[in-house]
């Protein structure tokens, strides 16, 4: 209870700083917001959806490599609907939701858990690498130089055997069965490529909102840096406020404080709407009759996790 209260308080503090920045630069920010055309807003929203689709393909590749190949529409339902849990204070809700949805479609909770964790590692590694490559020399990156120390660590961790060993160790410490297969190297490469493409598509929405046609590369790095910063601020739900602050830190010297704040606010709104829209479409397209869902027990290694209380330690259904 105390931990959840702390997360809420920290989120409110982050939002408070963002609100203070908006209030101080309201005239400039309002002018920038008023100057955004509907076509720019629509283009930014489409770019966010496009990036999400790329990351869905990467996520599905990882899940298939772990032994649960699913149609794109079904994988989309698991990922897009489940990830809405990130808006709830606490770090387990998105995991729990995706694991339960995955189980409904024949993917053991342990395997879905591994897929989520591996995908986050790949996403973080690619985001930090893009930020390092595109923001070299920028003040924001110099101030957060310690984040770059994670790049070589994550590069090593992306080796299939290291990935599998790390997750298996975590599962054993949680008194669960380890993974039954090593993630193929080709799967890691394909997932990394789709993830990188997703980040460059995401960069389009910052580029459009900033209105500086010469800043696409920096815009891509700025959002990758902001997302990674928000993700690492694990105590704040969905990185609210933290991500926006990091984005303003990079963009303000280039487009002005007010314009950077406007970009950050519209970016958050675009992602929130895209999350809801993607989940809604995924629900409509991902419907599957129970008779067509693979039998859970027939999947290799139907191990459970602590987030699936309706299953015992062996992973079999409770009587």
């Amino acid at each position: 209870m105390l931990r959840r209260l702390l997360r809420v308080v920290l989120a409110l503090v982050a939002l408070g700083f963002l609100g203070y920045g908006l209030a101080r630069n309201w005239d400039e920010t309002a002018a920038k917001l008023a100057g955004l055309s509907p076509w720019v807003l629509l283009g930014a929203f489409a770019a966010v959806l496009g990036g999400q689709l790329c990351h869905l393909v990467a996520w599905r590749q990882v899940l298939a490599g772990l032994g649960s190949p699913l149609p794109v529409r079904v994988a989309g339902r698991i990922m897009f609907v489940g990830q809405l849990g990130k808006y709830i204070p606490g770090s387990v809700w998105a995991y729990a939701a995706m694991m339960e949805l995955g189980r409904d479609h024949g993917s053991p909770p342990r395997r879905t858990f591994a897929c989520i964790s591996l995908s986050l590692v790949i996403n973080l590694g690619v985001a930090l690498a893009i930020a390092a490559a595109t923001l070299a020399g920028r003040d924001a990156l110099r101030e957060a130089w310690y984040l770059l120390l994670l790049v070589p660590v994550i590069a090593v961790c992306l080796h299939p055997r290291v990935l599998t060993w790390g997750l298996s160790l975590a599962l054993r410490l949680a008194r669960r069965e380890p993974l039954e297969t090593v993630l193929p190297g080709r799967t890691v490469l394909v997932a990394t490529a789709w993830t990188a493409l997703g980040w460059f598509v995401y960069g389009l929405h910052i580029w459009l909102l900033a209105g500086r046609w010469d800043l696409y590369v920096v815009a891509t790095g700025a959002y990758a840096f902001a997302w990674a910063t928000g993700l690492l601020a694990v105590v704040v739900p969905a990185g609210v406020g933290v991500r926006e602050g990091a984005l303003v830190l990079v963009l303000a010297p280039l487009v002005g404080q007010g314009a950077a704040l406007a970009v950050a606010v519209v970016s958050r709104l675009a992602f929130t709407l895209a999350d809801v829209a993607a989940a809604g479409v995924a629900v409509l397209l991902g419907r599957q009759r129970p008779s067509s869902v693979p039998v859970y027990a027939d999947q290799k290694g139907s191990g459970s996790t602590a987030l699936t209380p309706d299953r015992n330690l062996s992973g079999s259904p409770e009587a």
Side-chain angles (χ1 to χ4, degrees), residues 176-200:
R176 308 299 173 188
E177 298 176 24
L179 292 174
E180 71 275 11
T181 183
V182 174
L183 190 66
R186 181 180 180 278
T187 297
V188 176
L189 289 175
V190 172
T192 300
W194 276 104
T195 300
L197 177 60
W199 282 114
F200 282 102

Side-chain angles (χ1 to χ4, degrees), residues 73-116:
R73 61 187 179 84
V74 175
R77 185 168 189 260
I78 297 170
M79 176 178 157
F80 290 138
V81 176
Q83 74 174 1
L84 293 180
K86 68 187 179 184
Y87 291 102
I88 303 173
S91 57
V92 301
W93 301 110
Y95 267 78
M98 282 191 267
M99 287 161 62
E100 289 301 312
L101 288 166
R103 187 182 65 182
D104 291 344
H105 292 279
S107 176
R110 177 184 57 183
R111 194 174 295 159
T112 307
F113 173 87
C115 176
I116 302 167

Side-chain angles (χ1 to χ4, degrees), residues 286-302:
R287 293 178 182 273
Q288 190 173 3
R289 295 179 59 183
S291 60
S292 64
V293 178
V295 178
Y296 180 84
D298 288 343
Q299 297 288 316
K300 293 179 180 179
S302 54

Side-chain angles (χ1 to χ4, degrees), residues 7 55 83 86 90-91 94-95 98 116-128 146-147 150 154 195 199 222-247 268:
R7 291 176 186 273
H55 285 181
Q83 74 174 1
K86 68 187 179 184
S91 57
Y95 267 78
M98 282 191 267
I116 302 167
S117 302
L118 293 173
S119 296
L120 274 177
V121 171
I122 293 172
N123 245 319
L124 182 60
V126 173
L128 289 174
Y146 48 87
L147 292 179
L150 294 174
I154 293 175
T195 300
W199 282 114
Y223 186 72
F225 170 74
W227 179 87
T229 304
L231 178 69
L232 293 172
V234 293
V235 294
V236 180
V240 175
V242 177
R243 189 170 81 190
E244 288 73 25
L247 193 56
R268 170 64 72 172

Side-chain angles (χ1 to χ4, degrees), residues 165-178:
W165 175 83
L167 273 173
S168 294
L169 176 61
L171 288 168
R172 280 197 296 269
L173 290 175
R175 297 183 180 180
R176 308 299 173 188
E177 298 176 24

